[in-house]
Amino acid sequence: MILFVQTLGWIFRPPLQGREILKQMEEVGVRSFPVVVITAGFTGMVLALQSFTGFKRFGAETMVGTIVALSMTRELGPVLTGLMVSGRMGSAMAAELGTMRVTEQIDALYTLATNPIKYLIVPRFLATLIMLPILVIFADVIGILGGYLVSVQILGTNPTLYFRRTWDFLELIDLYSGLLKAVFFGMILATISCYQGFSTQGGAEGVGRATTKAVVLSSLTILIFNYFITAFLF
Amino acid sequence: MQGMESTIKIRVVHLYKSFGDKQVLRGVDLEVWQGESMVVIGGSGSGKTVLIKCIIGLIRPEQGEIRVDGLEITSLNAKEMNEVRKKFGMLFQAGALFDSMKVWENVGFGLRQQTRLSEEEIRKNASEKLALVGLKDVEDLMPSELSGGMRKRVSLARAIAMEPEILLYDEPTTGIDPIMADAINDLIVQMKEKLNVTSIAITHDIKSAYKIADRIAMLYQGKIIEVGTPEEIRNSPNPMVQQFVEGRSEGPIKIL
Ligand SMILES: Nc1ncnc2c1ncn2[C@@H]1O[C@H](COP(=O)(O)OP(=O)(O)O)[C@@H](O)[C@H]1O
Ligand SMILES: [Mg+2]
C-alpha cells in the first residue's frame, strides 16, 4: 500500500523513464498476448456451446451471440486477462525484482543515486496499466470470434443473425466497464507483484516464495475487487 | 600518513544496529581520514557489510552518528541522502551488475541517469573506465558472460564512473582465484593513487588487507576492537587480533 502511494508520487516527477516504460510495455504486451488469445478464444467457444444448450430448451438459440458478447466484454475478458497476465507477468516481475534484491542490484541502484521505485516500479506499473486494457480489447474480440466460429460452423446458426444479435444488444457501457476493470486489475497486479519482488528476503528460495505469493495474491485480489467493481457499476 | 593528513572524511560514532533480537553492531567507532585507505577486517557474519551499508545509507542504524565531510547522514531524508550518495562509489561483493544490461551500459548507468550526454559519449566514457580497470573489448558482453574476477572489475569501473570521492569495497577479493585477487588488490592501490579517493574496504582476507591498507580496523562482536597500521596490527598484543591475523582456529575467538 505504501509502495502504491510512493509509486503514484514518482509517476508525476519527471523525467519519466521512457525507455524502460516501452521495454516493459513490450514485455507485458507481447509476452502475454499468446496466452490471452488462447484463453479468450476457447472461452468464447465454450460459452457458445454451453449457452446454446441452455437456450435451446426454451427456443432462444439466436441469443447465443448476445450472451457471448456480454459475458466477454463485461466479465470474462477483463477477469481472465487479469488472471493470465498475473500468472505470466506478475510472476516475471516478482522474480526479476526479487533477483535484483537478493543480488544487491537494488542496493546498487541507490548507490548510483537512482531511486529504484522510479526506475524499476513506475515503468512496470505504467506499462501494465496501459497494456492490460489493450489486451482486454483483443480478448473481447477474439472471444466473440470464438463464439461466432462455434455457433456458425458447428451449431449452424445464421452468420448475419449472430452478428446482429451481438451488435444490437451490446452497449458501450459494457465495453467501458470491462476496460475500467482492466485498469484496476493492472494496478492491482503490478503493485502486488512489484511489492513482493521488491521486499524479497533470503536468497533464491526467497525469490521463489515471492513469485508464488505475487501470483496467488494478485489473482485473489483481482477476483475480490472484480465483485466490488461490478457491484459498484451495477 | 598519520599527522600528515588529518582531515576526517568519515566519522562513525557509537553505531548500533540489530535485526530482530540479533545485535550486529554494538557501538562501532571509526574515523577515516581524507585520502586514506581503511580496511575493516572481521570474521564472516561479524557485520562488516552492515557497517558499510550504514555508511552509504542503505541501512539505517538504530543509534549513533555517521558524519561524511562533517554532515550527519543518519537522519537525512531520501532526497538529501541521494545527494550524499553522489560522493560515493561502491563495489558489491558479487558485483551486483544489472544483468539486463550490457557491460558498457552498466558502467555508463550513472552518466545516463544523471547527465545529458549522448549515447556515444557515455559509451566512450565507459570504455575509458573499463581500460582503467584493465579491461578492453568487453563493452558489448552481458554480465552473465563474465568470469567472477571480470565482474568485480566491471563493478569497480561502474563505481568509479561518476568520479566519486569515496570508494567502498565489499569483500573485493572474495570468491576469485588468488592471482586475480592480487590483481584486484593492485587495482585498489592504483585507484587510490590515480583518483586520490578515500576508501573503506571490508574483508576477511588478511593478505589483501596488508596490501591495500593504510590502516586496518578489526570488527569483533559488534565493536572495533583495534585500529592501526598494518605493521601495528601484525604486532598487536591483542589475542583476538593475533588469532585472526594468524588464521588460527584455537584462541579467544570461539567458532560456533
Ligand atoms: N537485512 C538483514 N536482515 C536480517 N539480518 C541481517 C540482515 N543483514 C545482515 N543480517 C545479519 O547480520 C549479520 C552480519 O551480516 P554481514 O554484515 O553481512 O556480515 P559480514 O561481516 O560477513 O559482511 C549476519 O548474521 C546476518 O545474518
Ligand atoms: Mg559481507
Side-chain angles (χ1 to χ4, degrees), chain A residues 49-94:
Chain A
L49 273 186
Q50 293 285 29
S51 47
F52 184 82
T53 323
F55 283 135
K56 208 171 128 187
R57 296 192 185 149
F58 38 95
E61 296 95 321
T62 53
M63 296 305 285
V64 168
T66 319
I67 222 48
V68 170
L70 284 187
S71 317
M72 283 312 296
T73 51
R74 292 186 70 98
E75 190 62 36
L76 294 171
V79 171
L80 290 176
T81 306
L83 294 180
M84 286 299 152
V85 176
S86 294
R88 191 75 188 78
M89 289 319 295
S91 57
M93 287 181 205

Side-chain angles (χ1 to χ4, degrees), chain A residues 201, chain B residues 19 22 24 43-50 171:
Chain A
Q201 276 188 337
Chain B
F19 294 100
K22 182 174 194 168
V24 178
S44 298
S46 59
K48 304 182 297 292
T49 300
V50 172
E171 309 257 2

Side-chain angles (χ1 to χ4, degrees), chain B:
Chain B
M1 212 57 217
Q2 220 149 348
M4 188 184 88
E5 275 277 300
S6 55
T7 332
I8 293 172
K9 188 79 177 168
I10 298 171
R11 177 196 291 248
V12 177
V13 188
H14 291 323
L15 201 68
Y16 284 81
K17 175 69 194 175
S18 45
F19 294 100
D21 52 11
K22 182 174 194 168
Q23 293 186 312
V24 178
L25 304 181
R26 307 180 209 179
V28 170
D29 292 290
L30 187 66
E31 280 174 5
V32 183
W33 299 320
Q34 170 84 45
E36 90 168 322
S37 165
M38 167 63 80
V39 175
V40 178
I41 57 173
S44 298
S46 59
K48 304 182 297 292
T49 300
V50 172
L51 174 62
I52 53 168
K53 285 194 175 171
C54 286
I55 293 174
I56 196 172
L58 291 170
I59 294 179
R60 212 175 261 264
E62 279 117 31
Q63 257 187 64
E65 282 182 11
I66 298 168
R67 291 184 178 276
V68 177
D69 288 328
L71 177 70
E72 212 291 305
I73 62 162
T74 61
S75 50
L76 296 184
N77 66 28
K79 200 169 162 218
E80 293 163 334
M81 192 62 229
N82 205 42
E83 287 308 307
V84 176
R85 285 203 193 99
K86 291 181 181 169
K87 293 185 181 179
F88 284 91
M90 177 159 172
L91 173 68
F92 287 86
Q93 187 164 350
L97 298 176
F98 304 127
D99 23 57
S100 59
M101 292 177 208
K102 290 179 179 170
V103 163
W104 76 268
E105 293 173 307
N106 263 281
V107 177
F109 187 87
L111 283 177
R112 182 184 277 167
Q113 290 294 315
Q114 278 150 48
T115 66
R116 294 188 171 279
L117 293 182
S118 72
E119 293 290 288
E120 284 107 278
E121 287 169 305
I122 293 175
R123 195 186 157 99
K124 192 161 150 282
N125 188 288
S127 296
E128 284 166 20
K129 296 298 190 262
L130 285 166
L132 216 52
V133 298
L135 291 175
K136 60 174 195 198
D137 300 330
V138 295
E139 285 84 348
D140 289 307
L141 296 179
M142 297 303 284
S144 58
E145 298 172 285
L146 303 175
S147 69
M150 281 161 92
R151 292 176 72 89
K152 294 216 179 192
R153 285 172 186 240
V154 173
S155 187
L156 179 56
R158 182 177 70 182
I160 59 173
M162 300 299 285
E163 289 164 11
E165 299 164 32
I166 305 163
L167 273 172
L168 304 179
Y169 302 95
D170 188 351
E171 309 257 2
T173 57
T174 304
I176 50 179
D177 68 72
I179 296 172
M180 183 56 96
D182 206 48
I184 298 273
N185 287 335
D186 289 337
L187 271 179
I188 294 176
V189 174
Q190 280 179 33
M191 288 305 127
K192 189 183 102 161
E193 286 163 0
K194 281 192 199 162
L195 310 175
N196 194 28
V197 291
T198 305
S199 65
I200 304 179
I202 59 177
T203 186
H204 57 235
D205 175 356
I206 188 71
K207 212 170 133 230
S208 161
Y210 285 148
K211 181 144 186 189
I212 62 181
D214 293 321
R215 289 193 305 152
I216 297 176
M218 177 155 169
L219 181 65
Y220 178 65
Q221 293 191 332
K223 287 193 172 124
I224 299 291
I225 56 169
E226 183 118 348
V227 187
T229 61
E231 202 53 34
E232 286 165 353
I233 291 290
R234 203 193 310 262
N235 302 319
S236 166
N238 186 325
M240 255 87 75
V241 178
Q242 271 311 311
Q243 188 189 345
F244 191 86
V245 300
E246 285 169 21
R248 282 183 282 114
S249 61
E250 315 90 50
I253 302 176
K254 292 287 170 250
I255 296 152
L256 299 175

Side-chain angles (χ1 to χ4, degrees), chain A residues 8-27:
Chain A
L8 287 185
W10 280 104
I11 288 177
F12 299 106
R13 258 177 273 180
L16 275 179
Q17 301 277 348
R19 169 203 299 267
E20 285 299 304
I21 296 175
L22 284 179
K23 204 169 97 192
Q24 290 302 324
M25 279 172 65
E26 189 184 322
E27 293 273 307

